[in-house]
Amino acid sequence: MSVTAPTEEIEAIIARTALKYDLLPYQSKAFAQSQPARLGAIAQLFGLDVAPLATARVLELGCASGGNIIPHALRYPDATFVGVDLARTQVAAGRSRIARLGLTNVEIRCQSFTEIGDELGSFDYIICHGVYSWVPAAVQDAIFKIIRARLSPVGIACISYNVLPGWRMLQPLRDAFLLEVPDHIDSLGRVARARELLTFLSSATPDTGPYGNMLRIWAERLSTLPDDYLAHEFLEEMNHPSTVRDFAANASHNGLGFLAECELASMILENYGAEVAQQVRARSGNDLVGSEQYLDLLSGRTFRQTLLIANERMPTVNRALRPESIDRLHFLTQAGMNLDRDGDKYLITDVCGRTLSTDSSAVAEGLARLFERFPSSSSLDDCAGAIPEEEREAGRGLLLDALYRMTLVGMVTLSSEPIHAGSVGEYPKAIALARTDASDGGQSTTNIRHETIAIDPATRAILPAMDGTLDHVALARLLEGEALSGRLSFSRDGNIVTDEVSLRDIAQEHIPTLLARMASAGLLEDNINLII
């Protein structure tokens, strides 16, 4: 039997949580897996209609300073984006960024989820990332109710949450922090105390078994993660992991059905081996949520990003996937895809070591085109265009089958919308968001694929000026000027270079490399206003 906390107590908890986020804001950035084009593609894979992003309405619950929706607002000026967050510092930062970018199609509201009503209207995509597990049960229920009330007839929602039983492996760490780190000191002080405690525990523990290994592994892992992650993952007043079964049941109770996971490959039972797939189907009675629960038991997964739709749409979901399910979608690969030939066989390998083999030259040529177009997406027609005309009709079907298999194992990501990254060109032009973020001194930005990209000092020096009016020579002069002023430094053979002639040479040498990196990172757009 569960006991519901009084409304006053819930609001007090929410207020305390908001204050902690104000004192140590959570890094507000893009979450590639939650982008609407990805959610829409998965829904289309299962036979559902989705709203085109060009005119969609998108809501994010717990948007922080809008790092996950502002990039979309720039890319889709005729779409509407609304973010809601209770942290005043974050909301103010987001509104300031929106104003600097001159956006009118995105709004960030400072309010509690429990205060959201009909005034917001309906939305085609609703995102709630990094919130559900860290709020009281009544607020979790409010999240479901908001989603159900605000979803359009073709709406899709995405909620992330910590997962049981896998998260139990991290509970001892949270317990240790809450026992020994005082709650009355400021957030940065608490993080520092937690780091110091973990350093001591991991080095002093005599345990050589699972507990000691957990301490040592997490001491190493947390040393590379930012303070805001440690604070909000391990030091929050609330952190309530959930089984996928309970999550799906609560969603269903509020009129929402379990559609899929953002990480589509994690749902494909055959990826775990034929024998495991057979056992899971038998043990779960071939029930989707039951199968997902077994996969959590097998994998120890600690985090999920689940897609939900209105219950009344569930009977229209087609789970009989086949290659034709993806023929109208767009395909994205990651950097580092390799295509090698071994006799009559072609071997495709990604950076995670996943492989696909084929003896079809048509498939190899189509996939080579896919890889060449990185970081842009490709349609089936884009890929098939590389196949010789006399082989194209037969090769197209083989290529579609290969792309389907690559999708199911996670070598390819689906998008409902095309993604076109620009090339270097004579007058290279960076996307507006990257120029603004670099001008503000940002350490990172969001690329055309909705991925977070780090900005190194040399790139930061020239990005703000890359509006398509400067050629490579002018950009090299700009880089040289930054070095001469002392705002940027270059070294050779371990020594800082200071003389003007050498700096000019280094700047000229660096520009092609910097521009190529920006193009590969998806930070450029084609400059249609070419200077003659």
Side-chain angles (χ1 to χ4, degrees), residues 7 23 25 35 45 117 133 144 164 246 252 265 276 278 288 326 342 379 415 432-433 494 521 524 527:
T7 301
L23 296 174
Q35 60 179 302
L45 177 71
S133 293
F144 283 135
L164 295 175
D246 285 345
S252 180
V276 170
Q278 182 180 7
L288 174 63
I326 64 169
D342 183 10
S379 65
S415 174
L433 185 64
L524 301 185
N527 187 1

Side-chain angles (χ1 to χ4, degrees), residues 121-420:
S122 65
F123 294 88
D124 304 304
Y125 301 92
I126 301 179
I127 302 161
C128 185
H129 180 83
V131 177
Y132 184 85
S133 293
W134 296 269
V135 293
V139 180
Q140 292 179 342
D141 194 52
I143 289 171
F144 283 135
K145 284 180 166 55
I146 292 165
I147 290 173
R148 183 62 188 90
R150 303 274 71 84
L151 273 182
S152 74
V154 293
I156 308 161
C158 176
I159 301 181
S160 69
Y161 53 102
N162 285 341
V163 176
L164 295 175
W167 214 90
R168 288 277 186 239
M169 296 183 292
L170 307 184
Q171 189 64 45
L173 198 59
R174 173 170 160 82
D175 291 342
F177 290 157
L178 295 183
L179 278 169
E180 293 299 318
V181 177
D183 188 52
H184 63 271
I185 61 178
D186 64 88
S187 296
L188 285 175
R190 297 188 77 216
V191 170
R193 290 284 290 271
R195 290 191 185 279
E196 187 279 328
L197 175 64
L198 183 55
T199 298
F200 165 69
L201 293 176
S202 63
S203 61
T205 178
D207 187 78
T208 58
Y211 181 75
N213 288 337
M214 181 274 297
L215 291 175
R216 287 182 284 271
I217 289 170
W218 273 95
E220 181 178 355
R221 187 174 298 175
L222 284 179
S223 68
T224 66
L225 295 173
D227 289 347
D228 63 329
Y229 173 82
L230 192 155
H232 299 306
E233 182 70 8
F234 292 100
L235 297 175
E236 286 294 353
E237 183 173 350
M238 291 194 169
N239 189 334
H240 301 304
S242 170
T243 65
V244 66
R245 182 180 292 160
D246 285 345
F247 177 87
N250 290 340
S252 180
H253 177 73
N254 285 279
L256 297 166
F258 183 102
L259 176 63
E261 288 296 310
C262 287
E263 195 66 41
L264 183 67
S266 70
M267 301 180 63
I268 307 303
L269 292 178
E270 280 66 28
N271 290 339
Y272 301 85
E275 184 176 345
V276 170
Q278 182 180 7
Q279 284 269 5
V280 169
R281 287 193 176 96
R283 290 173 180 269
S284 67
N286 211 28
D287 173 72
L288 174 63
V289 173
S291 293
E292 291 295 301
Q293 183 64 77
Y294 267 105
L295 291 180
D296 286 352
L297 297 177
L298 287 165
S299 67
R301 180 183 353 217
T302 61
F303 188 71
R304 276 181 173 267
Q305 296 178 84
T306 297
L307 274 61
L308 302 172
I309 57 174
N311 267 343
E312 58 266 26
R313 298 184 73 196
M314 291 298 288
T316 67
V317 175
N318 181 7
R319 299 199 182 274
L321 301 183
R322 60 192 190 282
E324 291 73 23
S325 304
I326 64 169
D327 63 359
R328 294 182 295 110
L329 297 173
H330 302 269
F331 310 103
L332 285 165
T333 61
Q334 297 298 321
M337 300 289 289
N338 287 321
L339 175 61
D340 298 313
R341 185 167 184 173
D342 183 10
D344 293 334
K345 288 280 187 182
Y346 298 89
L347 185 67
I348 299 94
T349 310
D350 70 3
V351 292
C352 296
R354 293 169 291 206
T355 61
L356 174 77
S357 64
T358 179
D359 56 8
S360 168
S361 60
V363 170
E365 288 161 352
L367 294 180
R369 172 70 64 86
L370 174 69
F371 304 155
E372 288 168 4
R373 288 172 58 84
F374 174 88
S376 298
S377 66
S378 297
S379 65
L380 179 60
D381 286 339
D382 292 329
C383 297
I387 303 173
E389 189 171 352
E390 64 274 12
E391 302 176 31
R392 194 165 300 163
E393 184 174 351
R396 182 185 174 90
L398 293 173
L399 180 58
L400 179 61
D401 183 69
L403 289 167
Y404 174 72
R405 287 184 287 146
M406 293 172 73
T407 297
L408 295 187
V409 299
M411 296 175 74
V412 163
T413 300
L414 300 175
S415 174
S416 63
E417 304 283 341
I419 295 174
H420 180 69

